[in-house]
Amino acid sequence: MNSNYIASNLFPKILIHNLDDTLKYTYETSQIATSPTQDFSLNGIHIHLGINDDYGNATLEIQDNSNLLIETNNKKSKIKNQWSIQIYLGKTSATLERWFYGKIFESEIIKPTPNQTIIRLTCVGWGIRLKERMTKIKRFQDKTSDGLDLDSTDTSAKVSEIAKDIVSDTDHFLYSALPSETEITTSVDDIDIKLADFQLNATSWSDSISQLAGMSNSSYHVDADRKPVCRNSD
């Protein structure tokens, strides 16, 4: 792909970081930057934005006939699985917006002909992190002074607050030695549906939030800023 590549009238900027969060590869077009950085030659790109248990995905095809992105000793791709990838789209540098933030799940080397090399990156949206973490959360709505009736003023029992707790609190982690997901910050609508009793045992964060969404007729996803977003369907 040359520096004038047009994808649906939007121009891409791609950033790939390793596991230490060090920027390893950049791709941008001349419409985005006066002197664009192109650490690889982009042949094609496809982005799918997901919702609920569909975390979204992206596929990139990189032309690498000179094998600059292939290790000489083991012939594997220099772009590794689990590295992070950000894809921005815009018409100018001023209008760039991040459309996808995810992880590389497969870096595949394809040789259609002996003299042609393509590296295909298959990526999954950052929401996959919700599938990889486990909870044993237990939340109960407060009672009134008589010990019998539910306290209608207890805002911690709201679906939206429980969803926040799953991501931000640590008391419910199945594996307490694991750190919190500091990259993920919450952006949750106020969903004023209270649950008197919400208990789960060895359940993924994704399944937990999915259950909350189903109980409240809402939807959720992790957006391109790595924020779990819950939205009331009303």
Side-chain angles (χ1 to χ4, degrees):
M1 177 182 296
N2 62 38
S3 60
N4 294 314
Y5 169 75
I6 299 177
S8 301
N9 298 318
L10 296 176
F11 305 97
K13 178 177 181 178
I14 300 167
L15 303 176
I16 298 176
H17 291 74
N18 66 11
L19 294 179
D20 295 324
D21 204 28
T22 300
L23 179 62
K24 300 296 291 184
Y25 298 101
T26 299
Y27 179 88
E28 54 193 358
T29 69
S30 59
Q31 289 80 6
I32 299 303
T34 304
S35 300
T37 301
Q38 296 187 353
D39 293 331
F40 51 81
S41 177
L42 186 64
N43 265 10
I45 183 172
H46 171 79
I47 301 173
H48 165 71
L49 303 179
I51 192 170
N52 294 329
D53 295 330
D54 178 354
Y55 309 114
N57 58 74
T59 304
L60 288 75
E61 290 199 352
I62 298 171
Q63 192 81 35
D64 189 35
N65 294 341
S66 299
N67 295 334
L68 298 177
L69 299 177
I70 297 177
E71 296 177 345
T72 56
N73 55 345
N74 58 21
K75 304 301 180 184
K76 293 184 178 180
S77 171
K78 292 181 180 179
I79 303 176
K80 302 302 182 182
N81 294 354
Q82 296 298 318
W83 283 14
S84 69
I85 181 168
Q86 303 174 53
I87 302 174
Y88 294 78
L89 297 175
K91 294 186 177 182
T92 65
S93 59
T95 61
L96 276 177
E97 291 186 1
R98 185 162 50 203
W99 283 58
F100 183 84
Y101 205 139
K103 287 178 171 288
I104 297 170
F105 261 54
E106 185 177 17
S107 183
E108 180 183 8
I109 299 173
I110 303 170
K111 296 188 74 69
T113 66
N115 297 322
Q116 185 180 15
T117 301
I118 294 173
I119 295 179
R120 179 180 294 154
L121 303 181
T122 303
C123 315
V124 179
W126 205 267
I128 192 66
R129 291 295 296 142
L130 302 181
K131 193 69 174 177
E132 296 167 345
R133 297 299 300 267
M134 303 292 288
T135 179
K136 53 180 181 179
I137 192 167
K138 293 176 174 58
R139 294 292 186 267
F140 307 97
Q141 186 173 354
D142 289 343
K143 300 288 184 65
T144 57
S145 58
D146 63 12
L148 298 175
D149 296 326
L150 295 173
D151 183 359
S152 61
T153 66
D154 178 18
T155 58
S156 68
K158 290 181 180 181
V159 164
S160 50
E161 295 304 311
I162 297 174
K164 290 178 186 178
D165 286 352
I166 290 172
V167 177
S168 59
D169 283 359
T170 60
D171 65 296
H172 61 86
F173 286 5
L174 186 62
Y175 305 105
S176 58
L178 292 177
S180 59
E181 295 290 317
T182 55
E183 312 96 335
I184 297 179
T185 57
T186 56
S187 176
V188 179
D189 278 357
D190 180 29
I191 303 176
D192 193 10
I193 296 175
K194 297 182 176 70
L195 301 180
D197 186 334
F198 185 75
Q199 300 185 64
L200 297 174
N201 187 35
T203 306
S204 72
W205 291 9
S206 175
D207 289 345
S208 304
I209 298 175
S210 180
Q211 289 188 42
L212 291 171
M215 292 174 181
S216 57
N217 191 31
S218 56
S219 62
Y220 82 96
H221 67 281
V222 175
D223 68 12
D225 292 323
R226 298 190 295 187
K227 293 180 179 179
V229 179
C230 291
R231 291 287 181 261
N232 199 319
S233 298
D234 294 339

